[in-house]
Amino acid sequence: MLFRQLFDQDTGTYTYLIADTRTQAAVLVDPVVERTERDLKLINELGLTLRYCLETHIHADHITGTGKLRELTGCQSIVPEHAHATCADRLIQDGETLQIGDVQIKAIATPGHTDSHIAYLIDHERVLTGDALLIRGCGRTDFQSGDAGILYDSVTQRLFSLPDETLVYPGHDYRGQTVSTIGEEKRWNPRFVQQLGESSAFKDRSSFIEFMNNLKLPDPKRMMEAVPANELCGRVAVEA
């Protein structure tokens, strides 16, 4: 398997390139439209064929590059089931697997940040957590039908049930961190864990909900543009 982590400085967004080295088939996860040229250049340099663009959710902070990449390469757009995206070629459901040559990508429903968020487990060894689980943090839950209680359940019951050695690759990071593990996040993520001297324990669900409901964060700068554009796979609507 070929695996690359790509970064958009403007939005703190990670895009992931995954490819099967036998067939040279590739998938991009959460591409950013402004980085289309960069992504295509790398794909061509590596001799890959882009088969799919895969989204973890409908983003509010950047416009997806899926639509542009589909125009240029003929790849298919895949979005989570129940996402409000009429443009997609295919919807992916919880538990469904996407096979890229010998590489298996399994969808794990992790709603809460949005109501249709999905994480992707790659070959049982690394998980792309999108905005559900960040390194020592998590995504906000105050718009796009987000729900703090549901996010708590998604992380503690679904992601934290993966083996501790599973590598965690988030959808964003704003502090220069690139990768963690499930074991680290179960031990040190302050959103979900409280330190008790030499030990730690999960915070209770009600405390997490209260904390998340009182973050009082400003809306993402591009939300009013990005959400409707991403529901159209990156096509910005033009008003008459």
Side-chain angles (χ1 to χ4, degrees):
M1 178 177 62
L2 180 147
F3 184 87
R4 294 287 187 275
Q5 183 183 51
L6 307 169
F7 187 61
D8 174 52
Q9 185 70 40
D10 294 338
T11 61
T13 299
Y14 284 123
T15 295
Y16 295 96
L17 173 64
I18 303 156
D20 174 60
T21 54
R22 179 178 59 83
T23 64
Q24 301 295 95
V27 57
L28 274 174
V29 181
D30 290 343
V32 176
V33 69
E34 288 85 359
R35 301 293 173 255
T36 298
E37 184 177 344
R38 174 203 67 186
D39 296 346
L40 276 180
K41 183 174 184 289
L42 179 60
I43 287 168
N44 290 331
E45 287 174 347
L46 296 174
L48 305 175
T49 300
L50 184 63
R51 299 295 188 194
Y52 305 105
C53 282
L54 190 58
E55 306 284 355
T56 55
H57 63 293
I58 300 298
H59 306 276
D61 57 353
H62 70 269
I63 295 176
T64 179
T66 290
K68 190 67 174 177
L69 288 160
R70 183 167 58 180
E71 290 176 14
L72 295 171
T73 70
C75 69
Q76 288 193 352
S77 163
I78 302 180
V79 302
E81 184 185 28
H82 307 308
H84 304 289
T86 58
C87 61
D89 298 299
R90 176 175 167 183
L91 302 178
I92 192 165
Q93 304 176 12
D94 178 43
E96 187 176 350
T97 58
L98 182 67
Q99 199 72 33
I100 308 295
D102 297 324
V103 179
Q104 184 187 84
I105 302 174
K106 181 180 179 181
I108 303 174
T110 48
H113 172 64
T114 70
D115 58 357
S116 57
H117 192 286
I118 281 184
Y120 296 105
L121 181 64
I122 315 298
D123 276 353
H124 305 284
E125 64 182 24
R126 64 192 79 196
V127 61
L128 310 186
T129 55
D131 289 22
L133 178 64
L134 305 179
I135 297 174
R136 309 301 193 264
C138 66
R140 59 196 293 177
T141 58
D142 56 336
F143 55 77
Q144 288 183 278
S145 302
D147 185 293
I150 292 175
L151 180 61
Y152 180 90
D153 295 339
S154 292
V155 172
T156 59
Q157 296 176 19
R158 307 222 65 193
L159 294 177
F160 284 175
S161 67
L162 295 171
D164 283 356
E165 63 271 18
T166 306
L167 297 170
V168 171
Y169 287 94
H172 294 279
D173 192 83
Y174 310 100
R175 293 170 291 182
Q177 301 170 111
T178 59
V179 62
S180 181
T181 67
I182 289 295
E184 282 184 46
E185 297 308 310
K186 285 165 64 176
R187 178 71 174 86
W188 296 110
N189 192 311
R191 293 284 175 93
F192 299 95
V193 177
Q194 56 183 336
Q195 300 303 315
L196 304 171
E198 296 294 323
S199 62
S200 62
F202 287 161
K203 290 182 178 177
D204 63 78
R205 193 174 188 268
S206 60
S207 297
F208 177 82
I209 293 171
E210 181 179 7
F211 175 82
M212 294 299 294
N213 288 345
N214 287 282
L215 285 177
K216 296 181 173 61
L217 298 172
D219 287 342
K221 294 178 181 179
R222 301 183 66 184
M223 184 171 74
M224 299 305 292
E225 174 192 25
V227 171
N230 290 331
E231 290 174 346
L232 298 172
C233 291
R235 190 171 72 249
V236 178
V238 179
E239 295 184 4

